[in-house]
Amino acid sequence: DTGVSQDPRHKITKRGQNVTFRCDPISEHNRLYWYRQTLGQGPEFLTYFQNEAQLEKSRLLSDRFSAERPKGSFSTLEIQRTEQGDSAMYLCASSPRQGAGDGYTFGSGTRLTVV
Amino acid sequence: AQSVTQLGSHVSVSEGALVLLRCNYSSSVPPYLFWYVQYPNQGLQLLLKYTSAATLVKGINGFEAEFKKSETSFHLTKPSAHMSDAAEYFCAVSDRNQFYFGTGTSLTVIP
């Protein structure tokens, strides 16, 4: 296993379009997280899953955002009716268990540009 | 509530000079603290972490950080900067379910 994979690496979309990103975590990790990083800022928490259950969602995750992890393996993050303010790097991370950040591994991210 | 503050959004050092990146934290419980590095268009790579063991934590690439409870600080240091250290550095605190990141410090290394 080579780490957390995210696809695509880059996405350019027109305002109003829907986009979907995929994250494949490290296979034995049961926790999966999504973060958003805007230019010049640190990553901000969006949501996390334990297996297929979505346990927490940030206020940043508006109604236009939805995340799924249907079989407790890969996850998708969909943004509907994209806005220019959605332009950011979307980072996925996984970890083997609840803990003090042990084994928390980030993917390389998907950079979204909304034009 | 958990939060971190990174003092100095940009730091420049000469190659071979000491690197000091500052981080102060706020936590209502004993904190778990981390430093991550991010290269352009890349994800985050863990440099080191403090999880209530030794207060001086050694990480990768010659970096280390000291947890000082009295000062609520977790500053990152490296004795001698290398050109390859040029990157964005993030301090973070964890509450076991998520990370709270600082706004980052961009390190420039001058040859």
Side-chain angles (χ1 to χ4, degrees):
Chain A
D1 191 274
T2 57
V4 178
S5 298
Q6 291 189 246
D7 184 70
R9 290 295 308 276
H10 303 276
K11 177 72 176 179
I12 300 175
T13 190
K14 292 184 178 180
R15 189 175 55 186
Q17 297 294 305
N18 299 345
V19 294
T20 300
F21 311 140
R22 176 179 170 125
C23 171
D24 287 88
I26 293 173
S27 57
E28 61 267 27
H29 286 185
N30 59 16
R31 286 202 155 200
L32 186 148
Y33 310 80
W34 286 98
Y35 286 79
R36 182 174 71 183
Q37 184 179 18
T38 53
L39 203 61
Q41 299 296 316
E44 296 172 292
F45 171 79
L46 292 178
T47 187
Y48 87 90
F49 293 83
Q50 181 156 314
N51 299 314
E52 65 276 9
Q54 188 173 17
L55 297 185
E56 188 171 343
K57 294 194 292 186
S58 161
R59 291 174 299 172
L60 294 175
L61 213 65
S62 75
D63 292 344
R64 296 184 297 106
F65 288 69
S66 63
E68 295 182 342
R69 195 183 182 196
K71 297 183 179 179
S73 56
F74 73 91
S75 175
T76 58
L77 177 67
E78 181 183 17
I79 309 174
Q80 296 182 325
R81 304 181 304 282
T82 53
E83 303 172 355
Q84 287 189 323
D86 297 330
S87 295
M89 173 81 89
Y90 290 85
L91 293 164
C92 178
S94 68
S95 69
R97 61 189 180 279
Q98 180 187 37
D102 287 347
Y104 210 96
T105 304
F106 281 89
S108 296
T110 293
R111 181 169 293 285
L112 173 67
T113 302
V114 181
V115 297
Chain B
Q2 317 264 355
S3 66
V4 295
T5 301
Q6 292 184 242
L7 300 175
S9 57
H10 298 276
V11 170
S12 294
V13 299
S14 297
E15 190 175 15
L18 172 72
V19 176
L20 171 61
L21 304 182
R22 299 178 186 274
C23 174
N24 288 87
Y25 70 89
S26 172
S27 175
S28 56
V29 296
Y32 299 103
L33 294 161
F34 304 80
W35 276 99
Y36 280 87
V37 62
Q38 187 176 36
Y39 297 97
N41 294 314
Q42 297 293 317
L44 298 167
Q45 180 182 6
L46 179 66
L47 280 177
L48 51 79
K49 62 183 178 183
Y50 167 77
T51 56
S52 76
T55 56
L56 182 62
V57 181
K58 294 187 182 299
I60 62 171
N61 300 338
F63 284 94
E64 62 182 37
E66 185 173 8
F67 173 71
K68 292 187 176 181
K69 185 177 179 180
S70 61
E71 298 177 7
T72 61
S73 69
F74 190 58
H75 301 331
L76 182 71
T77 61
K78 181 174 180 178
S80 176
H82 190 273
M83 295 300 294
S84 61
D85 295 327
E88 190 85 15
Y89 291 80
F90 292 96
C91 181
V93 62
S94 169
D95 70 354
R96 296 178 176 266
N97 289 333
Q98 62 174 280
F99 282 92
Y100 301 86
F101 287 90
T103 52
T105 297
S106 177
L107 176 66
T108 299
V109 182
I110 304 166

